[in-house]
Amino acid sequence: MDQQLLADAVDNLYPARMQMAFSLGWHIIFSCFGITFPALVLFAEWRAYRRADADLERLAHTWAKAMGVMFAAGAVSGTILSFEMGILWPGLMERFGEVFGFPFILEGFTFFIEAIFLGIYLFSWGRLSPRAHLLTGLPIIPAGIAGALFVISANAWMNTPEGFEIDAGGRVVDVDVIDAMFNPSTAAQWLHMIIAAFMVVGFTVASIYAVGMLRGRRTRYHRLGLVIPLTLAAIATPVQIGVGDYIANVVAETQPVKLAAMEGLYRTGTGVPLSLGGIYTDDELRYALRIPWGLSLLVTHDPDGQVVGLETVGPQLRPPVNVVHLSYNVMVGIGFALMLITLAMAWTWFRHRRLPGSRWFLRGVALSGVASIVAMEAGWVTTEVGRQPWVVYEKLKTADAVSSAPGLYLGLWAVLAVYAVLTFLTVYTLRRLAHHHDDAVAPQEVAAEPLDSTGERPAG
């Protein structure tokens, strides 16, 4: 009987991992909007209130409706994920649920706070004074950020598990949920994700208006829709590059095998170069561009610093190196490409006090939304696949946590169908919302002129 359960678990590992990966990959996009979009909406409304600006008010109203749609879709995907944790990974929940389950309880409270005030904010538009209405939206921002902290602390715990002991019988004892929440990876992962959310939302929203401007929609309304989120993303991008150095040091200290997979490094050594691109095969990274001493400098801040290689663990304890290495390179490469957009924007602003007016710049911004999402997804692939074969690092293997129940392949196809419908409905609703407001501002179309960082045409 035990052998049959083991065989079922082995067969279930692939569909369970694919279902969880797809669900997380879909949900994390909407989580970004839940974390960051409220701040963008409230900023636009605050500026509209301070300036008595009809364009900003109309923009804030449009974004608020989109925020409601995104929140609803994210709530559905989040509910699916909560069920998947128990259904797909009973071994994890049964053994360690009391250790890392507490943050999910707290996240539930923040979700309800966010939902309640979002409902009040959307319903009371035009029914309260501008100042009172703005105040009803303020609790949404800390609720979203706190919810992200609680969920990410649970994921960080899987990477650096603390807050418990295992007795001689293999039982989990002496649980400290606070110590588990604030483990060595929590601060780095939370900060990395929050800034990524600002980048994803900023570039994605700006990209929508960049596409519109490339198609000839050059009203002040559309330009404001580009300037505000793009400024947010431009501020976040260089900060994220600095945070990347911080989190790389945390990974090097707590999960050296993951870092070795990220760099395709087999042998432990000193003065290790930083490898860009390449394919890992036969315990060697081939066709890579190498920056001398780069990796040692990155993780030890010493050109002769030692970096641990994959050779320190057996082959069965190594993650799939090519997946981790290439995902990491995609994330970093896109991050620096987005930095070029930021630099172009900053250069033109400091020289001319306006944004670049070229179509090439608009094309870059139009692509930046999808690019930022791809970079974020690649980062999560690096984090999650880099931990394999462990679901709880060096404590519980993924294969030992998966359900042995039959029918997981059916569950995978069912979830894919649900997300296909949900994606269609979300995109359809957002497109209808966008077309409605494009029609509303169409009579105000004017010739293209550059705008400064506030959305105004420069004097002269």
Side-chain angles (χ1 to χ4, degrees), residues 215-231:
R215 293 176 176 176
R217 301 186 183 101
R218 300 298 181 101
T219 65
R220 183 171 178 274
Y221 169 86
H222 286 90
R223 293 173 190 164
L224 285 167
L226 174 75
V227 170
I228 294 173
L230 186 58
T231 301

Side-chain angles (χ1 to χ4, degrees), residues 326-342:
L326 294 177
S327 296
Y328 176 65
N329 276 253
V330 167
M331 177 188 67
V332 174
I334 293 177
F336 278 97
L338 295 174
M339 187 66 185
L340 294 177
I341 295 176
T342 297

Side-chain angles (χ1 to χ4, degrees), residues 47-245:
R47 294 280 289 184
Y49 168 61
R50 289 289 302 273
R51 290 178 160 219
D53 191 315
D55 286 326
L56 276 171
E57 183 179 3
R58 189 160 53 245
L59 188 68
H61 201 186
T62 301
W63 285 354
K65 292 180 179 180
M67 179 173 65
V69 174
M70 300 294 281
F71 182 85
V76 174
S77 61
T79 302
I80 293 173
L81 274 171
S82 66
F83 282 106
E84 287 176 337
M85 287 292 291
I87 294 172
L88 300 178
W89 312 105
L92 169 64
M93 303 306 295
E94 180 180 355
R95 189 172 189 195
F96 290 109
E98 64 176 313
V99 183
F100 80 110
F102 183 61
F104 291 111
I105 297 174
L106 297 179
E107 193 276 335
F109 285 109
T110 62
F111 171 80
F112 283 116
I113 291 171
E114 191 175 3
I116 289 168
F117 281 96
L118 178 62
I120 295 171
Y121 179 79
L122 294 176
F123 179 77
S124 61
W125 198 293
R127 294 177 173 86
L128 297 175
S129 68
R131 179 178 295 181
H133 182 257
L134 191 64
L135 290 174
T136 65
L138 290 180
I140 303 173
I141 299 174
I145 293 175
L149 170 63
F150 297 139
V151 172
I152 290 170
S153 71
N155 181 268
W157 176 85
M158 295 180 186
N159 288 309
T160 50
E162 289 191 352
F164 65 96
E165 299 292 338
I166 297 179
D167 66 13
R171 294 181 296 271
V172 175
V173 297
D174 298 332
V175 174
D176 184 338
V177 295
I178 302 300
D179 192 33
M181 280 181 59
F182 297 100
N183 59 79
S185 296
T186 298
Q189 281 196 216
W190 177 74
L191 190 59
H192 199 45
M193 182 61 213
I194 293 297
I195 298 174
F198 277 95
M199 290 177 63
V200 166
V201 172
F203 282 120
T204 300
V205 176
S207 70
I208 294 169
Y209 291 92
V211 171
M213 292 178 72
L214 285 168
R215 293 176 176 176
R217 301 186 183 101
R218 300 298 181 101
T219 65
R220 183 171 178 274
Y221 169 86
H222 286 90
R223 293 173 190 164
L224 285 167
L226 174 75
V227 170
I228 294 173
L230 186 58
T231 301
L232 175 70
I235 294 170
T237 301
V239 176
Q240 183 72 303
I241 292 176
V243 171
D245 176 71

